[in-house]
Amino acid sequence: MKIAIIGGGPAGLYAAILLKKQRPAAEITVYERNRADDTFGFGVVFSDATLDNFEKHDPPSYRRITQEFAYWDDIAVHFRGTVHRVGGNGFCGCSRRKLLLILQERARELGVSLQFEAEIDNEKRFADADLIVLADGINSRFRDKHVEHFQPEVDVRSNYFAWMGSTRPLDAFTFIFQETEWGPFIAHAYQYEAGRSTWIFEADPETFERAGLKGLDERQSADRMAEMFGWFLGGHQLLTNRSMWRNFPMIRSQRWVKDNMVLLGDAKATAHFSIGSGTKLAMEDAIALAEAMQRAPTIAAALRHYERGRREEVEKTQHAADVSLVWFEHVDRFWEFDPVQFAFGVMTRSKAITYDNLNLRAPDFVAEVDKAFAKQVRDNGFDVDVEKPLAPMFQPMRLREMEIRNRAVVSPMCMYSAEEGMPTDFHLVHYGSRAIGGAGLIFTEMTCISRDARITPGCAGLWNDAQEAAWKRIVDFVHANSAAKFALQLGHAGRKGATKLMWDGIDRPLEEGAWDVISASPIPYFPDSQVPREMDRAAIQAVKKAFVVAAERGERCGFDMLELHCAHGYLLASFISPLTNQRTDEYGGSLQNRLRFPLEVFEAMRAAWPSHKPMSVRISATDWAEGGVTGDDAVEIARSFAEAGVDLVDVSTGQTVRDAQPIYGRMFQTPFSDQVRNEARVATMCVGNITTADQVNTILAAGRADLVALGRPHLVDPAFTMKAAAWYGAEEVFCPPQYLPGKEQIFRNSVRDRQDFEDLRIKAKPKTRAELKAEATKPLAAE
Ligand SMILES: Cc1cc2nc3c(=O)[nH]c(=O)nc-3n(C[C@H](O)[C@H](O)[C@H](O)COP(=O)(O)OP(=O)(O)OC[C@H]3O[C@@H](n4cnc5c(N)ncnc54)[C@H](O)[C@@H]3O)c2cc1C
Ligand SMILES: Cc1cc2nc3c(=O)[nH]c(=O)nc-3n(C[C@H](O)[C@H](O)[C@H](O)COP(=O)(O)O)c2cc1C
């Protein structure tokens, strides 16, 4: 077998090693355009988990790599004169040059032919090769040559970055967030061998320009950065080696395989440097390719297997890198944060690290985060304990005069169980049990303002006296038996009305008994959905009036808060999104025009709703569709509602058009809440695939939302908050007297359960290499 590998970077060399081990008789050649020891850049980093993977696949190169590496355990965040250090991260750094020399040496030992100063411009010269590995890096000539086939998507990011080196020793992975007269600069720095550290500097384009970096040569710009970070460098120089300022290209290729050619490493996909995974991905690609070659009967099958098996892992890493890079691009959002909260945000930015996880390895840091959070709560007038604070989830909050005991919220969820809009005993039990379960705030399902405002025949409403009385009974029960506050969500289904119950076919049009539907424009949801009537001025006035009348009824029921539903493609949302609003009057066109009707409704309700009670608005912060609402629009939408008196923005997404492309995942809508909260400076509630109290605490402590709503988790567990309170020892959680023995038991058991859990986690966690090294070099105790 003959294998040609184009590119002698980590991907190409490691693939050569693993394939040669597997097939000693194969003729494997690596073609590299540079000289053997001629490499740009400084250091690379690997996590302990990545090193474990290398150990499994090629122990000799693993051993040599780990002998050469610098280890560290801590991440240090420098911000506004403070330093926060978090241990237990287990990373190591190595010079890229040494890594390549180790891999070259190992490849040679195994009999791989290495050809340097061999620039390949045409793969046709390998016509006799069984396999051609394209490992030619980020600017891959071969990916671009076959662009129609590989279909790479290149997203060039806005921030500028440059990769430099220094002799400054570092004992932690170091982030420095530096305030300058031109704007924020960020340094990502780590040591990779004795006396050598890597420094990646980053700045947004405006800051970069204002600082006069444009047009400077490598040396001049290094000198400028050395001046800026001189206080930290302490006389150490910044070194350059092709250290040009660039913009990071996020690359995703639709296809990785063409005939017997396969893309590996940066050539196929990149991951932002802020999560330090580029070299890891490149070498793990090589592992995946070798494993596929081991198992599959033919090369074609192996390549198919490689692409199919590896894609999800790569995309997951890319997603984490995306989330992380967005955090760095928008660092100015958090610039006013308390430094410890800021540092917590840095640590938890890409979702892999959470509040509980940090509590295990850096309890003092988390204690400080909790204190800072509690202090903010105390500054807002609550008499909370700041010295031994409760976890953020159990800190109270005030909206106007409504006080919420904790930050867990039951999200609005339609139960499709009303009869002619009348809530039934099902609703009493449903809301009653969730209120007793301990959530600070519960929302009603979308409650419809009129009969023809319903989504389905099972939707609840508030347009007549009987419904008002039925809701009042539920509100009274909640207030009499729990400490939960109760918010009424009012809405109109618009073009998604007259559809089947969720379990009979969500959003599908009713076959019988449908009523006429209205919308901003006459565009049906599905091609076979009812075509809605475009609302004229009379309809606009009538709907506004119905919202106000329902709000007045809500006040008589005793609800504590009112939410206007402007999300998910229902009537008011259909005005906001350009995908569903094609009007040419003052209610269509610009965002301000599209917001006009929802704002008119909001203002009319606000005037009717008691001024001491808060109001929220639910929005879809993105349509997840080309040409639709974006996160930036959501900031504008939130600002407009805030000016109209909204107290809280309930940040959901999507469901506007049926061909949207949402990117699901844990806490997938939280970045939108983060953006709205920290750009528009309004209180937000986030929601969406948040399933654990750990996630709730992570989001709150990082300042990404003020309240956290959980929908589906509450469907199966009304006592979600009570259980979480037991776990975190938040005795203050409300429990009705009838249930006190249960509360006492779960609180007692939780102390032990938590201890067992933490012991298990600590036992199960292998020692980091830094810890092992420290142990091995510790002097023996005197006997
Ligand atoms: C600023 C910055 C910081 C980074 N920090 C880290 C980090 O901390 N940790 C980490 O793991 N990764 C980091 N990376 C990423 C890392 O450098 C790459 O992701 C990794 O090297 C990818 O390996 P590769 O083998 O796919 O590509 P490369 O390392 O780019 O190797 C490709 C090779 O192909 C050769 N080549 C290209 N075209 C041809 C041709 N036509 N003929 C012959 N040879 C050719 C090139 O000379 C090169 O040697 C960073 C990257 C940047 C830009
Ligand atoms: C059965 C069900 C009914 C829902 N009904 C409503 C509703 O009436 N109003 C609303 O704004 N959102 C509604 N939603 C959306 C939820 O409030 C929430 O945003 C969504 O389920 C995502 O949160 P989760 O991942 O915690 O479930 C509903 C969700 C479910 C599962």
Side-chain angles (χ1 to χ4, degrees), residues 333-352:
R333 280 184 199 160
F334 317 106
W335 215 252
E336 303 304 319
F337 275 26
D338 181 292
V340 72
Q341 189 175 33
F342 182 93
F344 185 85
V346 178
M347 293 303 303
T348 56
R349 68 190 184 281
S350 68
K351 302 198 283 194

Side-chain angles (χ1 to χ4, degrees), residues 224-245:
R224 172 63 66 84
M225 298 317 295
E227 270 167 41
M228 252 183 245
F229 288 84
W231 65 273
F232 189 87
L233 287 165
H236 288 270
Q237 274 236 326
L238 282 179
L239 315 169
T240 59
N241 180 356
R242 295 207 218 161
S243 304
M244 285 78 73
W245 288 89

Side-chain angles (χ1 to χ4, degrees), residues 6-12 31-34 40 43-46 96 100 118-121 135-138 141-142 161-163 190 198 200 246 248 264-267 271 273 276-280 282:
I6 307 175
Y31 299 88
E32 167 56 51
R33 67 178 170 202
N34 292 335
F40 66 88
V44 298
V45 292
F46 295 125
R96 177 174 154 104
L100 292 182
E119 170 124 24
I120 307 300
D121 52 15
D136 53 342
I138 202 161
R141 168 183 297 178
F142 295 95
F161 75 95
W163 199 358
Y190 56 90
T198 298
I200 305 166
R246 285 170 284 175
F248 190 82
L264 234 59
D266 274 5
F273 53 82
S277 292
T279 308
K280 158 202 152 82

Side-chain angles (χ1 to χ4, degrees), residues 187-202:
H188 311 234
Y190 56 90
Q191 182 145 343
Y192 59 88
E193 61 183 31
R196 281 283 185 280
S197 46
T198 298
W199 286 71
I200 305 166
F201 294 106
E202 186 179 2

Side-chain angles (χ1 to χ4, degrees), residues 410-416 444-447 455 489 502 506 563 565 567-568 570 618 650 652-653 655 668-669 687-691 709-715:
V410 177
S411 201
M413 281 180 290
C414 219
M415 290 293 104
Y416 308 98
T444 67
E445 59 204 274
M446 178 172 120
T447 303
I455 311 169
Q489 186 189 60
M502 175 181 70
I506 195 154
E563 174 160 289
H565 197 337
H568 302 165
Y570 296 117
R618 180 165 252 209
D650 174 358
S652 186
T653 67
Q655 300 177 48
F668 74 111
Q669 297 175 153
V687 63
N689 219 3
I690 298 161
T691 52
L710 300 95
R712 289 164 296 173
H714 274 121
L715 289 182

Side-chain angles (χ1 to χ4, degrees), residues 11 20 50 68 72 76 79 83 105 154 174 184 187-188 202 324 393 403 481-483 493 528 565 651 702 754 781:
K20 187 71 182 169
T50 305
E68 297 290 346
W72 66 87
F79 179 58
V83 191
E105 183 190 28
V154 183
T174 303
H188 311 234
E202 186 179 2
S324 171
M393 177 173 167
E403 287 185 6
N481 294 285
S482 80
D528 62 344
H565 197 337
V651 185
R754 189 169 170 143

Side-chain angles (χ1 to χ4, degrees), residues 31 34 38 94 99 256 260 331 438 475 482 536 541 635 655 676 689 725 731 765:
Y31 299 88
N34 292 335
D38 168 53
C94 160
L99 173 72
W256 300 355
N260 65 340
V331 71
V475 176
S482 80
D536 58 16
Q541 291 309 325
V635 173
Q655 300 177 48
V676 168
N689 219 3
E731 294 275 355
K765 185 177 172 297

